[in-house]
Amino acid sequence: CLQSLLVGHRESVVPLLIKEVIKLNLVDPFHGHFAVLQELGSSKGAMEAVLKSMFWETPLPMERLQGAGVATEKATLLGVFLRLSSIPETSRDPTTRDVIMMRHPVGEACFADMHRKSRQEVDIAIDSVRVQLHAVQDCLTIFVRGMLKDPTHQDKMFSWVASALRFSEARKKEGFGRYFSSPTSSVGFLFNLFTV
């Protein structure tokens, strides 16, 4: 059965794809993973199975929204692809409330030893990151457009986007990140979502 093959258990196609993509960074080879996403999106039956599964959008009651932005980014099929970004994630020290910049593989791979590089080498590294980011955003745009072209998938796509934005609503509060923090989607995830 298509449902079982795609989303029926931990070893199904979609959970394995999510598990693989969550490990990727912008500097990793990701085109094969996007090819699988495009194939899923181009098959009406496959997309129907995905849209009905917990790997698309997990409905949460309003009292459980804290952390849902992170879950949307790291546990849904579209979310794991949207998180591929060049923007480093941040964390907050629970005792001092200081913002901690997380190490980011893009920065390490492309911008290590900057003081030893020529201006031309830096420009090449920046262009490389830009090309990778545009490739991610182009693939995501193709997938989302395909979803929006199919009238049976439009509502699910709009519902997913609305949920992703609602789950990151804490970012609009004055003082977010400085005085308090709430687990929301990363800046890179939201940047890609707005770009797509």
Side-chain angles (χ1 to χ4, degrees), residues 92-117:
R92 184 162 292 284
D93 184 310
T95 55
T96 64
R97 310 295 294 156
D98 292 336
V99 174
I100 302 167
M101 294 300 287
M102 308 291 279
R103 296 188 75 166
H104 199 274
V106 172
E108 291 176 8
C110 299
F111 303 109
D113 298 325
M114 289 283 288
H115 62 284
R116 295 185 184 146
K117 292 185 178 182

Side-chain angles (χ1 to χ4, degrees), residues 4-152:
S4 178
L5 176 68
L6 293 174
V7 295
H9 49 81
R10 283 193 334 242
E11 300 301 315
S12 298
V13 172
V14 173
L16 287 177
L17 181 60
I18 289 172
K19 187 176 175 181
E20 287 296 312
V21 175
I22 198 74
K23 298 177 199 172
L24 295 178
N25 291 292
L26 201 57
V27 294
D28 295 328
F30 53 79
H31 296 287
H33 299 87
F34 272 102
V36 174
L37 180 68
Q38 299 301 341
E39 281 298 314
L40 288 170
S42 66
S43 168
K44 190 168 183 90
M47 236 15 251
E48 289 295 327
V50 171
L51 291 173
K52 292 176 184 174
S53 76
M54 65 183 202
F55 303 109
W56 183 254
E57 179 181 22
T58 306
L60 295 169
M62 288 304 285
E63 65 272 6
R64 292 195 46 226
L65 289 184
Q66 186 165 350
V70 174
T72 299
E73 178 176 341
K74 295 184 177 182
T76 66
L77 180 62
L78 186 54
V80 293
F81 283 95
L82 283 166
R83 65 171 282 286
L84 291 169
S85 171
S86 59
I87 301 172
E89 295 180 26
T90 59
S91 183
R92 184 162 292 284
D93 184 310
T95 55
T96 64
R97 310 295 294 156
D98 292 336
V99 174
I100 302 167
M101 294 300 287
M102 308 291 279
R103 296 188 75 166
H104 199 274
V106 172
E108 291 176 8
C110 299
F111 303 109
D113 298 325
M114 289 283 288
H115 62 284
R116 295 185 184 146
K117 292 185 178 182
S118 69
R119 177 65 186 175
Q120 183 180 11
E121 289 172 313
V122 171
D123 288 343
I124 290 169
I126 291 170
D127 287 342
S128 171
V129 171
R130 198 173 283 140
V131 165
Q132 292 291 84
L133 185 59
H134 285 297
V136 165
Q137 292 169 346
D138 288 346
C139 290
L140 288 166
T141 300
I142 291 167
F143 177 79
V144 170
R145 280 187 186 157
M147 292 287 292
L148 294 175
K149 284 180 183 176
D150 186 331
T152 61

